[in-house]
């Protein structure tokens, strides 16, 4: 965000969470940009935004920052707590530090970029959103993920992609283990193109698409069969 | 002549149904998944009676003296609480498990008598939003079809922790019901057996839930009541924690509660009966001085006005009905007897809500079957049923001298069995003995 004089500063030391969120939730597209100062780990900050505005949060945030985001571009200059960008519909959320558990949980659309690492269950039940994590992701990431993409430039923790449906995972580093029904898959031309586009959107200009491996569903658990007992 | 059958003795332990299940397992290798609710005998509200009025208490005149049935849900924090004309709501049943016509009929019926209906797993359909004057939006672990626009369109939000048929269990919707529309709403491939998670993806305990509720309120401008729905597991603690987390309303569903598709062993063996659960939940609310401040909605096996009245007398503010509402629409209708027989069932026994071949066109996604249900007529049938329940509750309230159905109280009740006395905390009829309270 440009530091120009047109920036509207919302100070959580002086204004309540309700007032700050209400302001961000009711302004029209093109308003702002906004800078939120003194977040001090506040929960549910900048959630439920619907307009294509730019919001920069100067510091760490608590749970559900930018939850259910639509259209807005929210940047957290620090670490984000549990469920950052949960159920995002569209727009972009950037975290310059690390993100806690369940980052972008159930997101239907939009892009989450985490410059650092995420804890467990990144992209859990993802429904179409995209996630790029420049560091590592914790265990059970993309558990039950249905659609959308997770790109990990570092390593992935245990049980990656457990019970995954049609979502896609690209990992450049090591994968501790794959979860039930998740397998390594071929990288086709279309996958390379998708991955390259995601990397570009996340500003990873130097990343080599060829260094990534792709993971997804073996589709063996799509129907209940007792022969599958050992998989669960 | 002696009847040869007299010498044939059915085993109490290995009765016909038990033998049938043992025989079924080796042939399929899968546990039974079915709809409906618990079918075995359980302690119920039938084990309680109202004392009525006599010399010590006087009754109200049945047709002349007013008896209020209205109730307001969500008075604790919500700017716009839900105002219901009757204390009977329609429980959350998913589009997917039910046809769009059935959802529309539920909305029409509920709206006609001034009460609310509820979405379910899989999201909100325009059919039900359009035909429901007051619609509660379920926020479930799966978050299928969950989107903030629908959240804002809703009149209340119900965070589903569990339901009575399967406290702690997730959901299944079998492939035969995952049609194109259902698949699209849930972002899943068509025709697969779909699982709904049993835990929410971004919170686990009550401390996290408190923050989740804050987020939902922030997104909806603190307007909507937030309900928390729990299956009856440990209702005393669960109610306390739901209140602590910031619920406006607690929805408590006993083990008899209906389901669209759950393992038979789960339905019959997990959770406690509604009768026992209500008492525990009300005890919790009273201990923390939240009774009537946080409203309690009770469900699971409610069939009649007597059930409703007894739930209210034990301290509930309202009830919710699922199975009974479906029956009122036309589920298990003898009119379709031949069709039921053709699929190996019979009217009155049909429980295969998971199968998608419902002759009454209610628990199906088959367009030809679904067409059998006329949403306008079925909705009106439901409205009439709700009217009857309401009249029955009023009758029982007046019989106990009450001008408001919410004035019914445990002191108006007696138990017919020692078990019911112990569970409901009311005296065994003809005594002043409540088991567990000394003598
Ligand atoms: C066909 C059907 C579908 C259901 N779907 C849901 C659901 O999506 N979410 C939920 O919380 N409960 C669901 N339930 C449970 C009901 O909300 C309610 O708890 C239960 O039906 C109450 O018990 P009763 O059927 O004895 O009235 C469903 C029940 C039925 C019969």
């Amino acid at each position: 965000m440009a530091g120009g004089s047109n920036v509207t500063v919302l100070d959580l030391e002086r204004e309540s969470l309700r007032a700050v969120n209400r302001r961000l939730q009711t302004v029209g597209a093109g308003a702002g940009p906004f800078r939120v100062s003194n977040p001090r780990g506040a929960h549910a900050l900048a959630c439920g935004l619907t307009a294509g505005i730019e919001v920069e949060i100067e510091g760490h945030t608590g749970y559900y920052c930018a939850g259910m985001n639509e259209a807005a571009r929210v940047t957290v200059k620090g670490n984000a707590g549990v469920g950052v960008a949960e159920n995002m519909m569209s727009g972009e959320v950037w975290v310059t530090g690390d993100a806690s558990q369940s980052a972008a949980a159930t997101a239907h659309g939009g892009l989450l970029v985490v410059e650092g690492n995420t804890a467990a269950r990144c992209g859990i039940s993802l429904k179409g959103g995209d996630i790029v994590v420049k560091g590592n992701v914790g265990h059970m990431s993309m558990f039950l993920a249905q659609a959308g993409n997770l790109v990990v430039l570092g390593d992935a923790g245990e049980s990656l992609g457990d019970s995954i449906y049609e979502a896609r995972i690209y990992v450049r580093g090591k994968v501790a283990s794959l979860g039930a029904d998740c397998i390594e898959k071929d990288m086709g031309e279309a996958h390379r193109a998708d991955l390259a586009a995601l990397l570009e959107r996340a500003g990873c200009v130097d990343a080599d698409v060829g260094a990534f491996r792709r993971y997804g569903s073996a589709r063996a658990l799509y129907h209940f069969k007792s022969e599958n007992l050992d998989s669960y | 002549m002696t009847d040869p059958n007299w010498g044939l003795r059915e085993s109490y332990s290995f009765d016909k149904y038990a033998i049938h299940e043992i025989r079924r397992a080796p042939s399929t290798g899968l546990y039974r998944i079915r709809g409906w609710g618990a079918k075995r005998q359980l302690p119920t509200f039938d084990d309680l009676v109202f004392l009525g009025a006599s010399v010590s208490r006087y009754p109200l005149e049945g047709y002349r003296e007013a008896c209020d049935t209205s109730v307001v849900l969500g008075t604790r924090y919500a700017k716009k609480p839900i105002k219901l004309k009757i204390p009977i709501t329609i429980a959350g049943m998913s589009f997917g498990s039910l046809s769009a016509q059935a959802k529309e009929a539920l909305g029409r019926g509920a709206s006609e008598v001034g009460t609310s209906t509820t979405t379910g797993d899989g999201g909100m359909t325009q059919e039900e939003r359009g035909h429901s004057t007051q619609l509660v939006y379920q926020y479930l672990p799966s978050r299928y079809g969950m989107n903030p626009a629908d959240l804002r369109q809703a009149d209340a939000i119900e965070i589903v922790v569990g339901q009575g048929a399967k406290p702690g269990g997730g959901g299944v919707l079998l492939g035969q019901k995952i049609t194109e529309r259902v698949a699209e709403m849930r972002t899943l491939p068509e025709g697969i057996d779909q699982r709904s998670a049993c835990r929410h993806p971004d919170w686990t305990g009550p401390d996290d839930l408190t923050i989740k509720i804050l987020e939902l309120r922030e997104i909806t401008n603190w307007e909507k009541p937030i309900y928390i729905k729990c299956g009856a597991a440990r209702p005393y603690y669960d109610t306390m924690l739901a209140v602590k987390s910031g619920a406006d309303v607690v929805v408590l569903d006993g083990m008899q509660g209906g389901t669209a598709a759950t393992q038979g062993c789960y339905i019959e063996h997990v959770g406690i009966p509604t009768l026992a659960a209500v008492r525990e939940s009300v005890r919790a609310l009273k201990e923390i001085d939240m009774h009537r401040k946080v409203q309690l909605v009770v469900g699971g096996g409610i069939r009649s006005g007597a059930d409703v009245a007894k739930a209210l007398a034990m301290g509930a503010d309202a009830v919710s009905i699922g199975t009974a509402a479906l029956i009122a629409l036309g589920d298990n209708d003898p009119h379709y007897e031949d069709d039921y027989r053709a699929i190996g069932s019979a009217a009155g026994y049909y429980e295969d809500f998971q199968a998608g071949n419902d002759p009454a066109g209610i628990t199906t996604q088959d367009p030809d079957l679904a067409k059998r249900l006329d949403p306008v007529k079925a909705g009106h049938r439901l409205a009439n049923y709700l009217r009857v329940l309401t009249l029955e509750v009023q009758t029982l309230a007046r019989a106990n001298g009450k001008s408001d159905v919410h004035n019914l109280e445990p002191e108006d009740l007696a138990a017919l069995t020692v078990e019911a006395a112990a569970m409901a905390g009311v005296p065994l009829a003809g005594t002043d003995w409540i088991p567990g309270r000394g003598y």
Side-chain angles (χ1 to χ4, degrees):
Chain A
M1 182 188 294
S5 57
N6 62 342
V7 175
T8 306
V9 178
L10 304 171
D11 187 350
L12 270 169
E13 202 169 63
R14 281 192 243 143
E15 289 184 77
S16 67
L17 176 76
R18 185 75 287 258
V20 169
N21 277 343
R22 197 69 197 139
R23 178 85 184 271
L24 296 173
Q25 288 164 350
T26 48
V27 293
F34 296 92
R35 179 175 297 145
V36 179
S37 56
N38 294 306
R40 295 184 182 156
H43 300 306
L45 184 54
C47 62
L49 305 192
T50 54
I53 55 172
E54 224 177 290
V55 180
E56 192 173 280
I57 300 168
E58 283 189 313
H60 308 313
T61 59
Y63 282 42
Y64 313 131
C65 179
M68 303 194 201
N69 188 55
E70 289 170 273
R73 185 189 154 101
V74 179
T75 305
V76 178
K77 296 208 124 181
N79 302 327
V82 171
V84 62
E86 68 86 15
N87 214 87
M88 171 162 54
M89 304 301 291
S90 59
E92 271 180 38
V93 177
W94 286 68
V95 179
T96 63
D98 296 329
S100 183
Q101 296 185 61
S102 303
T106 77
H108 287 67
L111 173 70
L112 169 69
V113 179
V114 179
E115 311 258 358
N117 309 306
T118 78
R121 298 184 189 83
C122 177
I124 181 172
S125 286
L126 195 72
K127 291 170 168 56
D130 295 316
I131 308 170
V132 178
V133 179
K134 300 193 182 175
N136 309 322
V137 296
H139 66 267
M140 293 296 274
S141 285
M142 296 290 268
F143 178 46
L144 284 169
Q146 299 166 222
N149 298 285
L150 169 67
V151 179
V152 184
L153 280 83
D155 302 334
E158 283 170 10
S159 296
L160 179 70
D162 194 287
S163 304
I164 189 169
Y165 294 97
E166 296 296 303
R168 290 174 182 161
I169 305 174
Y170 302 92
V171 184
R172 187 166 70 175
K174 291 191 295 290
V175 172
S177 67
L178 293 174
D181 212 27
C182 185
I183 53 169
E184 186 175 345
K185 296 191 150 184
D186 289 343
M187 274 277 222
E189 267 321 300
H191 302 122
R192 281 174 209 284
D194 284 355
L195 176 57
L198 279 167
L199 288 167
E200 195 189 319
R201 281 173 70 198
C204 307
V205 279
D206 300 332
D208 170 16
V209 168
F212 287 80
R213 290 161 167 236
R214 181 169 82 94
Y215 304 89
S217 179
R219 304 189 180 99
L221 299 182
Y222 276 15
H223 294 276
F224 289 109
K225 294 190 201 85
S226 56
E227 290 82 12
N228 290 334
L229 212 57
D230 296 343
S231 308
Y232 296 107
Chain B
M1 224 176 65
T2 47
D3 179 345
N5 286 337
W6 281 33
L8 300 180
R9 182 174 180 185
E10 183 176 8
S11 165
Y12 192 85
S13 309
F14 289 82
D15 63 9
K16 282 182 195 143
Y17 184 72
I19 292 173
H20 175 266
E21 277 304 286
I22 295 173
R23 289 177 46 75
R24 196 191 53 75
S27 66
T28 65
L30 264 188
Y31 43 42
R32 170 122 171 87
I33 293 178
R34 66 171 174 88
W36 198 266
K39 287 201 154 177
R40 65 184 169 130
Q41 196 186 2
L42 293 166
T44 69
F45 289 122
D46 281 347
D47 300 323
L48 302 179
V49 287
F50 281 108
L51 295 173
S54 184
V55 183
S56 55
R57 299 247 179 133
Y58 64 84
L60 296 189
E61 171 56 46
Y63 294 98
R64 300 193 197 285
E65 288 180 277
C67 181
D68 193 1
T69 60
S70 64
V71 60
V72 184
L73 303 177
T75 49
R76 187 182 183 193
Y77 291 117
K79 283 190 215 160
K80 295 186 179 167
I82 295 264
K83 294 181 181 144
L84 304 178
K85 286 194 187 150
I86 62 171
I88 308 157
T89 64
I90 305 300
M93 293 182 275
S94 65
F95 167 71
S97 77
L98 299 186
S99 66
Q101 287 89 333
K103 288 301 278 178
E104 179 182 333
L106 292 172
R108 285 176 179 275
S111 302
E112 194 176 321
V113 293
T115 191
S116 62
T117 182
T118 312
T119 65
D121 209 357
M124 185 189 284
T125 64
Q126 281 319 307
E127 286 92 336
E128 65 183 333
R129 176 61 282 188
H131 293 286
S132 307
T133 48
Q134 304 196 75
L135 182 61
V136 182
Y137 186 51
Q138 284 202 330
Y139 187 72
L140 296 113
S142 74
R143 311 272 167 90
Y144 290 137
M146 158 58 216
N147 78 66
D150 288 343
L151 203 64
R152 294 187 192 99
Q153 274 195 63
D155 300 296
I157 299 164
E158 180 168 297
I159 301 176
V160 178
V161 179
Q163 64 182 89
K166 46 177 171 180
V172 281
L173 194 63
L174 297 184
Q176 55 268 35
K177 293 178 92 168
I178 311 286
T179 57
E180 197 183 335
R181 182 174 178 199
V182 174
E184 198 200 306
M185 275 178 74
R186 299 185 186 212
T187 330
L188 285 169
E190 243 178 281
I192 69 164
D193 291 336
Q194 162 255 285
R195 287 156 291 171
S196 299
C198 67
R199 290 196 306 271
H200 282 261
D202 55 359
W203 67 268
T204 38
D207 296 330
D208 293 3
L209 177 55
T210 309
I211 308 171
K212 178 48 75 176
I213 290 176
L214 170 72
E215 184 203 10
L216 293 171
R217 290 198 199 280
E218 281 291 318
I219 289 177
T220 54
N221 198 25
W222 290 72
E223 285 172 2
K224 328 248 179 228
I226 309 273
Y227 302 8
I228 297 181
K229 177 178 180 178
C230 298
R234 294 169 186 79
Y236 173 79
Y237 296 105
D238 295 334
T239 301
M240 276 207 180
L241 291 174
V243 173
K244 184 223 159 235
S245 304
D248 292 303
V249 174
V250 174
V251 181
L252 177 71
D253 202 31
M255 74 172 283
Q256 296 99 315
T259 175
T262 301
Q263 299 92 332
C265 62
Y266 215 135
I267 299 178
E268 299 286 353
H269 299 285
V270 184
I272 64 171
T274 308
L275 179 71
V278 187
R279 207 277 293 256
E280 283 297 273
S281 190
V282 172
R283 182 163 74 90
L285 290 171
K286 286 192 169 157
E287 269 182 39
I288 53 179
D289 194 23
M290 279 294 179
H291 189 225
R292 306 288 187 218
K293 294 177 189 160
V294 166
Q295 287 78 34
L296 177 66
V297 178
V298 167
I302 304 282
R303 304 150 299 177
S304 63
D307 287 344
V308 180
K310 289 168 189 174
L312 297 184
M314 286 183 64
D317 294 274
V319 302
S320 70
I321 58 168
T323 305
L326 300 186
I327 296 170
L329 297 186
D331 169 62
N332 271 292
D333 189 338
H335 176 73
Y336 292 115
E337 184 64 46
D338 293 345
D339 295 16
Y340 285 116
R341 295 277 171 189
I343 53 171
S345 188
Y349 296 85
Y350 181 68
E351 60 181 26
D352 285 327
F353 297 169
Q354 82 292 346
N357 58 358
D358 183 353
I362 294 170
T363 57
T364 185
Q365 293 302 317
D366 177 327
D368 291 329
L369 289 172
K371 258 199 304 219
R372 291 184 174 186
L373 190 84
D374 176 344
V376 177
K377 281 192 193 144
H380 188 59
R381 286 168 58 90
L382 174 62
N384 268 342
Y385 170 66
L386 292 168
R387 286 190 184 98
V388 170
L389 293 188
T390 307
L391 287 169
E392 287 175 349
V393 180
Q394 284 178 311
T395 301
L396 294 169
R398 288 193 188 101
N400 288 283
K402 305 295 178 356
S403 60
D404 184 320
V405 296
H406 294 96
N407 291 346
L408 285 165
E409 54 195 335
E411 287 71 19
D412 295 321
L413 295 166
L416 299 178
T417 65
V418 175
E419 287 85 351
M423 288 180 190
V426 303
L428 187 66
T431 76
D432 55 8
W433 180 51
I434 301 175
R437 301 244 182 112
Y439 199 50

